[in-house]
Amino acid sequence: MNSRRPTGASKPDTEEPETAAPGETPPADLIEPAYPTGPEAELDDRDWCVSAHHEQRIIAELQMLADPTPTKVRATLNGLGYTDERIHHIEQDGKKTRFHLDLREDGGRLCASGLAAGAVSDVVPCVAAAEGPFKVTSEVRP
């Protein structure tokens, strides 16, 4: 037990680190955390909540596709209630199929970037232009 530090104290620890490793110099300035970017910074709480619902149901269905061709992926998404007008950029990428879903509602900017690849299928949120034709403005693709 380190007898130099108080136990059970609720005040912040103001002690300096005991020593730096041999040959190392401790940082002089505090390191600021990076600000979030992409969908993490641009979507509101409602969009994050809605996104999780869409992601779960889509992934569950796509994981059951043994051969995820664009035709089969579109049919699966249609079966989940997504109309062709909401399905964009669906294309074969090797044995996988990539796609985007337009999930914008009531001024929101939510979209989904999907990868249909059998058991390793994935869907993540992305950001679309708030108005006008569907255009992805920010994403981190699976």
Side-chain angles (χ1 to χ4, degrees):
M1 182 173 174
N2 184 348
S3 61
R4 292 179 44 184
R5 293 182 180 226
T7 57
S10 61
K11 62 183 180 181
D13 184 6
T14 57
E15 288 185 29
E16 293 293 320
E18 292 179 20
T19 59
E24 289 187 13
T25 304
D29 297 325
L30 294 175
I31 299 172
E32 293 291 326
Y35 289 102
T37 60
E40 188 176 328
E42 297 181 55
L43 297 174
D44 62 22
D45 290 342
R46 179 191 174 281
D47 283 340
W48 279 108
C49 182
V50 169
S51 173
H53 170 74
H54 288 284
E55 291 168 28
Q56 290 172 354
R57 62 192 295 262
I58 295 167
I59 291 170
E61 292 297 316
L62 293 179
Q63 286 177 335
M64 294 189 289
L65 284 179
D67 182 26
T69 64
T71 302
K72 290 179 181 178
V73 170
R74 182 178 298 278
T76 298
L77 294 171
N78 290 155
L80 289 169
Y82 300 102
T83 62
D84 286 341
E85 293 78 26
R86 293 210 177 250
I87 302 169
H88 298 274
H89 313 152
I90 190 164
E91 59 189 36
Q92 190 82 36
D93 180 7
K95 293 184 178 187
K96 308 167 199 159
T97 295
R98 295 185 180 278
F99 62 92
H100 286 96
L101 281 176
D102 181 356
L103 302 172
R104 298 177 295 174
E105 290 183 0
D106 302 324
R109 300 178 59 203
L110 178 64
C111 63
S113 178
L115 174 68
V120 294
S121 295
D122 198 15
V123 178
V124 296
C126 58
V127 181
E131 297 176 353
F134 178 77
K135 180 182 177 190
V136 176
T137 61
S138 180
E139 74 177 309
V140 178
R141 292 194 75 175

